[in-house]
Amino acid sequence: MKSLLVYRILRKLWAPVARWQLTCHTIAQLQELAHLGQAVEVHGRIQFGDPQNTYFGDDIALNDGFFVHGEGKLSIGSHCHLGQQLLIITSNHNIEPAECLPYDKKRILKAVSIGESVWIGDRVVIVPGVTVGEGAVLAAGAVVTADVPPLAIVGGSPATVIRFRDEAAYARLKSEGKYLAWPRSYDLINDRKFHIRRRAN
């Protein structure tokens, strides 16, 4: 009973330190991006494959478990909101022609591009070489293996088009500049306001 009490006290004392370490690690990664637009928002743990080959527009929201695997180029347009446990893969093993089995040591880099105002649900997987068009919606659990047209709503494994967003309504909201939580003059990292240093372009 005494050891449980000590554990709870230590856990309570350690939680703010662990949260601050996570925030510092997140900011350090974001500062390494090739381009970081204004007003990024991050909640939880994130990991980039190659920060110096990653390009973010303005007003991008990342949630816990955002993970980029591979050193290929990643571009994400402005006003994108990305769900939890998102996996983006930007490279793959070489199998044809391979020097050994099941694959050789060569990595094939393929860029992933995500257009503006895209909403990606939880637990989505995006494979190398995919382009997601502007205004698209990727439903939770989708495995995106092919390009997604602009304004398409896709889901499933492999992801297929379910329907398209209303083009006129989308165009009106865009022309009026109506974006969720925008404009904003600060970065938001784990519910705290910051002004992250950007790399010189």
Side-chain angles (χ1 to χ4, degrees):
M1 190 68 174
K2 185 178 178 182
S3 62
L4 181 60
L5 180 62
V6 170
Y7 169 76
R8 286 182 176 167
I9 291 170
L10 289 175
R11 186 174 173 192
K12 199 160 196 137
L13 292 172
W14 177 250
V17 175
R19 189 173 178 86
W20 181 247
Q21 283 182 325
L22 173 61
T23 298
C24 291
H25 179 67
T26 299
I27 291 172
Q29 289 186 87
L30 292 169
Q31 289 175 334
E32 289 297 311
L33 298 189
H35 178 78
L36 177 61
Q38 296 303 306
V40 67
E41 182 176 341
V42 179
H43 302 280
R45 297 184 184 280
I46 62 172
Q47 185 67 50
F48 295 98
D50 182 1
Q52 296 181 16
N53 206 13
T54 302
Y55 301 79
F56 275 12
D58 297 330
D59 182 34
I60 292 179
L62 307 177
N63 281 290
D64 189 50
F66 172 86
F67 184 76
V68 183
H69 180 71
E71 291 73 45
K73 181 179 179 181
L74 171 62
S75 302
I76 301 179
S78 298
H79 312 296
C80 288
H81 287 235
L82 315 179
Q84 297 184 52
Q85 306 302 317
L86 169 61
L87 172 60
I88 300 174
I89 307 168
T90 62
S91 69
N92 211 340
H93 293 288
N94 181 52
I95 60 170
E96 292 178 346
E99 297 176 357
C100 54
L101 296 175
Y103 49 78
D104 63 28
K105 293 180 181 180
K106 180 181 177 184
R107 301 288 291 188
I108 300 169
L109 305 183
K110 290 187 177 180
V112 170
S113 177
I114 298 171
E116 291 189 3
S117 302
V118 171
W119 175 24
I120 300 178
D122 293 348
R123 297 184 181 274
V124 169
V125 176
I126 301 175
V127 303
V130 164
T131 295
V132 178
E134 179 180 346
V137 176
L138 312 184
V143 178
V144 184
T145 60
D147 290 353
V148 177
L151 303 181
I153 300 172
V154 303
S157 177
T160 56
V161 175
I162 299 167
R163 65 181 179 87
F164 286 85
R165 298 179 73 171
D166 183 317
E167 186 174 353
Y170 179 90
R172 178 180 54 78
L173 291 170
K174 182 177 179 180
S175 70
E176 294 172 358
K178 291 188 175 178
Y179 299 100
L180 182 65
W182 180 260
R184 191 175 73 241
S185 61
Y186 55 87
D187 303 301
L188 191 62
I189 310 298
N190 296 322
D191 301 320
R192 295 189 65 177
K193 295 179 181 180
F194 290 92
H195 291 282
I196 297 173
R197 174 182 53 83
R198 267 72 177 168
R199 298 181 74 169
N201 293 326

